[in-house]
Amino acid sequence: MSNCTPFVATLVLAIQFQAALGASQALSATSTAGGPAPPAVSRVFAGTVAGKVTDERTGEAIVGVHVSVVGTALATVTDANGQYRITGVAAGNVMLRLRRIGYQAPPDRPITVVDNGTVTVDFTLAMAPLSLDALVVTGTPGGTQVRAIGNAVDRLDMAAAAELSPAVNVQQLLGQRSTGVISLPNSGMVGTGSAIRIRGAVSLSLTSQPLIYVDGVRVDNNPSAGPNIRQGRQASRLNDFDPEDIESMEIIKGPAAATLYGTEASNGVIQIITKRGKSGKPELSVTAREGRNWLNNAEQRLRYVYGVNPNTQQVDSVNLIAHWRSLTGEEIFTTGAMHGVDASLSGGTDAVRYYVSGDYLDNTGLVDYNWQKNAGLRANMSLLPSSNWSVNVTTAFARNETRFAQAADQFGVWEMLVYGSPALFNSATQGFRYANPTVASQVDSRSKINRFTGGVEIKHEPLPWLTHQLKAGADIGMTTNQILFARPAAEYATFYGARSVGEKTLEQVNANYTTLDYAITAKAPLFGFETSTSVGAQYYRKQTTFTSEFGRNFPTADVTTIGGAATTQAGEDYVENKTLGFYVQEQLGWKDRLYLTAALRGDGNSAFGRDFKAAYYPKFSATWVLSDEPFFNVGAVNTVRLRGAWGQAGQQPDAYDAVTLYAPSTGPGDSPIVTPGSLGNPTLKPERSTELELGIDLGFWNDRVTATYTRYDRRTRDAIVRQPVLPSEGFPGVRVVNLGEVKAWGNELSVNARVLEGNTLSWDLGVNYATAKNRIESLGGLPPIVLSASQEHRVGYPVGGSWSQKVLSASFTPTGAPTNAMCDGGVEANHAPVPCADAPKVYWGQPTPTWQGSVINTFTVMRNLRLSALVDFQGGMLYEDGEIQAGHQNFRNTAQSNRGDDPIFAAYQTLVPRAPLGFFDAGFAKLRELSVSYTVPSSVVRRFGMQRASISGAWRNVGLVWQAQDQIWGTKLFDSEMRTPGSELGSRYQTMIPPASQVVFTLRTSF
């Protein structure tokens, strides 16, 4: 009840606020009987515009259409019935403008408003994925139409996607719905996330994550948050936000589009736009979810483990899921329940509109000790004090807690399964490695965050040709992470080793992001052109404080506080980064179909070296809507837009890379001293990415079929690498320098088609396909940079490529030892065989997909029933299954390692580094989502006092459709999509719980 109380109170206050507002308006129109006459005031002549917006094909109401009075700040959005109402419109002739993602914008409609009267204007909109007249606010000051932008911008209708998708977090909802944007695979644990990648990876040592904004406020997008458990930190801060609050997303994909975001934007920008209120009576919407999580067909997909059975002295095999059931009668993996509810209230007047929401999610994973409990509140308010002023205020609070199914090494349930063996049958682990599944449940690793995100946007149009706006906001997150090994009962102490006395790690992470953004834009005609001149300034600050505590040796199992431990220690860290940038942009438009844009951005950043003062990033773009020319007449082709953009953006170094640091230490006599820590670089500057992007947008048969194609070529110079420090310089380790250069290129194609169109049956098809390749052009003369045992940066090859020796032939000695092993001699030997002892490492593959895409089919039956299927795919990457590799080489619990009949396999086991025994082609296609949704007829829902109701059921991670490789040396892969969550470049994964399946049933109602 405590979670619901603030939400209920907020709803009551919102209703009271609207009632009070209405009462005050009524009082202002009357005077008290017998009282003095009110003072004379100048009367404003104004009226009301109202109407309904429906889908041209289905006749259904369209929710969320933005309706505005051109040249004023008066605007609203349509409600659940497709209705809108704008009051206070100046009497006389005005223009109405409509915009909605996914629909063709109709021409601005002239209307005449009568004083004290109401004008009813209805609209029907046709679906049109291109939507050249739609408004875009990301990557351009003040917002502009799609037709005026020379680079690709994806605008995703997330509110519509949420109605069909089973997604319970933002990353699942984003999925593979945008061409060239990929959410990398994550764990099957609830509460985990993964990295997002736009157009592949191009940095040698920095992140490839895009910037994330929520309503213009930059937010923490750390994909590797939470406690440091097995395979690293696996929570994603993006998933703190409630997907039900999201109206849309805008994605700009590279430096050519992101110049105005400057020094941190070379990986692209994603803008999340949350829902707003609409004028009219209060509308209450409630969404209830019930779902289940499970590991699909786990027992049949899990590989058998092999070993010598101590009871028979013969090689035996066992499926440990079935083995645990036979020992205990229990299941290792269970079906976890998911319960969720979202409620929102929206309404207001034309002067004040509000959207208030609350959400709660209780989600349990594949084991009952893996759970997630999220609660959040959001309050958005829009104020229009006059026709030329607007104020938007957004606030959100989230409190999320997750308990993970994994802890430190040796205590993950998946680790115990895949590394087990019949050789351990008579040990305390009963066949499992390290411990049994009961022990795994006793380790408590969890993360809790309290997070506030809020901002204000003030927009003023003092003159018809002049607009300026200020955005200010903050994202504040306070996270507590813990890993607790309580002192175990005596019967379990043997499994814990040094941890058998109990230990606890506690971390406090506070991350604060601050945003200030001011822009002014002047528009005027000039020699037949429409000019738009913008000047802006932006300030961003990121602060992170980190404190840690550790305690070991608890007196009893009941004592779990660090203060109760016999041995304790603590640590503290602080990181701050600041950016101040200025930009100027000039746009020329000719007859609303030809646009030229030029911009320049300058940045200073606190991570730059002291001798590098500022970075400057130029941009040029052009777009031509050829189909709007009078001479254009190409039969079935109704829309043709040509576009191109060239621009630069950057990525700053890590906060202290440019600074020479000394580490505190204890000297003789316990006196405090400092010792050399790392050698700084006073000339350090940001990585600079330059991108050329060319594209075409096409529409056929009144946009019944649309296609968008983009080709991009990017070159990143001054790429940051870590150069070993000479011993003579007196500092250990490496120095950060700008020496590298990386080239990247790719293609993006999106096709949408209404294959069938009718009242009884319609069929919509969407296809996305993208390629993304890269090559290291230079390392500044440095030798190959080793990232791990199997990954390196090498000139002429992709970033983070996999490298190892490759055995071509071998034989056995009479005693069964491998001999005469010949390996690939590499490029210099023209790949001729050479003795493995003399063989170099050779290139095996790259860690990121070179091609990826999706296909989505949506069928509408009798207008009310919708069925949808989404398949996504990716390929061209090489992963390393560390579980199978370790099974082949370290634990020898695979069939092949026990047979010992393949000399090449034996050569890998003993003569070559471990990686190749885990390498595999990780390409796959997966049936990602199946869904069915039924919209209850309005004649039925109104009987129950509702405006709208729908019921849906959806299944996520249905199954593999295609797998490039299903086994490694005879040992089957569980799932090609497995990968370490949050990893930027790492291709190796180990003991990760595989992706889970999920079914969600949803009821949506509005009153």
Side-chain angles (χ1 to χ4, degrees), residues 58-75:
T58 66
E60 292 293 313
I62 305 176
V63 182
V65 180
H66 186 267
V67 185
S68 62
V69 179
V70 178
T72 74
L74 298 174

mmCIF file of all heavy atoms in Angstrom, residues 58-75:
data_model
loop_
_atom_site.group_PDB
_atom_site.id
_atom_site.type_symbol
_atom_site.label_atom_id
_atom_site.label_comp_id
_atom_site.label_asym_id
_atom_site.label_seq_id
_atom_site.Cartn_x
_atom_site.Cartn_y
_atom_site.Cartn_z
ATOM 1 N N THR A 58 -9.366 2.377 -41.524
ATOM 2 C CA THR A 58 -10.187 1.593 -40.603
ATOM 3 C C THR A 58 -11.351 2.367 -40.009
ATOM 4 O O THR A 58 -12.284 1.770 -39.471
ATOM 5 C CB THR A 58 -9.324 1.067 -39.448
ATOM 6 O OG1 THR A 58 -8.864 2.177 -38.656
ATOM 7 C CG2 THR A 58 -8.127 0.295 -39.980
ATOM 8 N N GLY A 59 -11.262 3.688 -40.050
ATOM 9 C CA GLY A 59 -12.299 4.491 -39.427
ATOM 10 C C GLY A 59 -12.155 4.605 -37.926
ATOM 11 O O GLY A 59 -12.961 5.272 -37.264
ATOM 12 N N GLU A 60 -11.109 3.973 -37.350
ATOM 13 C CA GLU A 60 -10.900 4.020 -35.909
ATOM 14 C C GLU A 60 -10.293 5.360 -35.491
ATOM 15 O O GLU A 60 -9.580 6.010 -36.248
ATOM 16 C CB GLU A 60 -9.975 2.884 -35.467
ATOM 17 C CG GLU A 60 -10.579 1.502 -35.610
ATOM 18 C CD GLU A 60 -11.744 1.283 -34.668
ATOM 19 O OE1 GLU A 60 -11.615 1.609 -33.464
ATOM 20 O OE2 GLU A 60 -12.794 0.803 -35.131
ATOM 21 N N ALA A 61 -10.609 5.763 -34.254
ATOM 22 C CA ALA A 61 -10.030 6.985 -33.713
ATOM 23 C C ALA A 61 -8.517 6.852 -33.591
ATOM 24 O O ALA A 61 -8.003 5.774 -33.279
ATOM 25 C CB ALA A 61 -10.640 7.286 -32.349
ATOM 26 N N ILE A 62 -7.793 7.939 -33.844
ATOM 27 C CA ILE A 62 -6.339 7.953 -33.717
ATOM 28 C C ILE A 62 -5.970 8.740 -32.469
ATOM 29 O O ILE A 62 -6.323 9.915 -32.335
ATOM 30 C CB ILE A 62 -5.666 8.576 -34.957
ATOM 31 C CG1 ILE A 62 -6.119 7.860 -36.233
ATOM 32 C CG2 ILE A 62 -4.154 8.501 -34.826
ATOM 33 C CD1 ILE A 62 -5.568 8.476 -37.497
ATOM 34 N N VAL A 63 -5.276 8.073 -31.589
ATOM 35 C CA VAL A 63 -4.853 8.693 -30.331
ATOM 36 C C VAL A 63 -3.502 9.377 -30.528
ATOM 37 O O VAL A 63 -2.659 8.901 -31.286
ATOM 38 C CB VAL A 63 -4.741 7.619 -29.225
ATOM 39 C CG1 VAL A 63 -4.359 8.254 -27.901
ATOM 40 C CG2 VAL A 63 -6.043 6.855 -29.098
ATOM 41 N N GLY A 64 -3.299 10.501 -29.852
ATOM 42 C CA GLY A 64 -1.976 11.116 -29.821
ATOM 43 C C GLY A 64 -1.626 11.961 -31.030
ATOM 44 O O GLY A 64 -0.448 12.238 -31.258
ATOM 45 N N VAL A 65 -2.621 12.384 -31.814
ATOM 46 C CA VAL A 65 -2.347 13.298 -32.931
ATOM 47 C C VAL A 65 -2.107 14.695 -32.371
ATOM 48 O O VAL A 65 -2.901 15.209 -31.566
ATOM 49 C CB VAL A 65 -3.514 13.314 -33.937
ATOM 50 C CG1 VAL A 65 -3.212 14.266 -35.085
ATOM 51 C CG2 VAL A 65 -3.795 11.922 -34.461
ATOM 52 N N HIS A 66 -1.018 15.309 -32.784
ATOM 53 C CA HIS A 66 -0.689 16.657 -32.328
ATOM 54 C C HIS A 66 -1.414 17.666 -33.211
ATOM 55 O O HIS A 66 -1.201 17.717 -34.426
ATOM 56 C CB HIS A 66 0.822 16.886 -32.384
ATOM 57 C CG HIS A 66 1.260 18.200 -31.792
ATOM 58 N ND1 HIS A 66 1.420 19.332 -32.547
ATOM 59 C CD2 HIS A 66 1.570 18.546 -30.512
ATOM 60 C CE1 HIS A 66 1.817 20.328 -31.768
ATOM 61 N NE2 HIS A 66 1.916 19.873 -30.523
ATOM 62 N N VAL A 67 -2.294 18.460 -32.604
ATOM 63 C CA VAL A 67 -3.081 19.460 -33.327
ATOM 64 C C VAL A 67 -2.657 20.831 -32.824
ATOM 65 O O VAL A 67 -2.660 21.082 -31.604
ATOM 66 C CB VAL A 67 -4.592 19.259 -33.096
ATOM 67 C CG1 VAL A 67 -5.395 20.227 -33.957
ATOM 68 C CG2 VAL A 67 -4.999 17.816 -33.395
ATOM 69 N N SER A 68 -2.278 21.723 -33.739
ATOM 70 C CA SER A 68 -1.797 23.040 -33.317
ATOM 71 C C SER A 68 -2.359 24.128 -34.210
ATOM 72 O O SER A 68 -2.765 23.887 -35.353
ATOM 73 C CB SER A 68 -0.266 23.091 -33.357
ATOM 74 O OG SER A 68 0.205 22.881 -34.672
ATOM 75 N N VAL A 69 -2.384 25.340 -33.658
ATOM 76 C CA VAL A 69 -2.747 26.537 -34.417
ATOM 77 C C VAL A 69 -1.455 27.168 -34.896
ATOM 78 O O VAL A 69 -0.614 27.577 -34.079
ATOM 79 C CB VAL A 69 -3.559 27.517 -33.551
ATOM 80 C CG1 VAL A 69 -3.914 28.768 -34.350
ATOM 81 C CG2 VAL A 69 -4.818 26.840 -33.011
ATOM 82 N N VAL A 70 -1.255 27.217 -36.201
ATOM 83 C CA VAL A 70 0.011 27.664 -36.784
ATOM 84 C C VAL A 70 0.320 29.094 -36.346
ATOM 85 O O VAL A 70 -0.556 29.966 -36.346
ATOM 86 C CB VAL A 70 -0.043 27.566 -38.327
ATOM 87 C CG1 VAL A 70 1.256 28.089 -38.944
ATOM 88 C CG2 VAL A 70 -0.301 26.131 -38.749
ATOM 89 N N GLY A 71 1.577 29.287 -35.930
ATOM 90 C CA GLY A 71 2.023 30.621 -35.546
ATOM 91 C C GLY A 71 1.752 30.977 -34.106
ATOM 92 O O GLY A 71 2.030 32.102 -33.683
ATOM 93 N N THR A 72 1.197 30.023 -33.334
ATOM 94 C CA THR A 72 0.941 30.252 -31.914
ATOM 95 C C THR A 72 1.456 29.058 -31.126
ATOM 96 O O THR A 72 1.855 28.043 -31.694
ATOM 97 C CB THR A 72 -0.553 30.432 -31.614
ATOM 98 O OG1 THR A 72 -1.206 29.158 -31.688
ATOM 99 C CG2 THR A 72 -1.205 31.388 -32.605
ATOM 100 N N ALA A 73 1.402 29.166 -29.803
ATOM 101 C CA ALA A 73 1.763 28.043 -28.940
ATOM 102 C C ALA A 73 0.551 27.195 -28.582
ATOM 103 O O ALA A 73 0.670 26.245 -27.810
ATOM 104 C CB ALA A 73 2.423 28.565 -27.661
ATOM 105 N N LEU A 74 -0.610 27.510 -29.143
ATOM 106 C CA LEU A 74 -1.828 26.763 -28.851
ATOM 107 C C LEU A 74 -1.772 25.398 -29.529
ATOM 108 O O LEU A 74 -1.610 25.320 -30.743
ATOM 109 C CB LEU A 74 -3.061 27.532 -29.329
ATOM 110 C CG LEU A 74 -3.305 28.896 -28.678
ATOM 111 C CD1 LEU A 74 -4.465 29.608 -29.346
ATOM 112 C CD2 LEU A 74 -3.557 28.738 -27.183
ATOM 113 N N ALA A 75 -1.890 24.344 -28.735
ATOM 114 C CA ALA A 75 -1.793 22.994 -29.285
ATOM 115 C C ALA A 75 -2.381 22.008 -28.288
ATOM 116 O O ALA A 75 -2.523 22.300 -27.097
ATOM 117 C CB ALA A 75 -0.339 22.630 -29.584
#
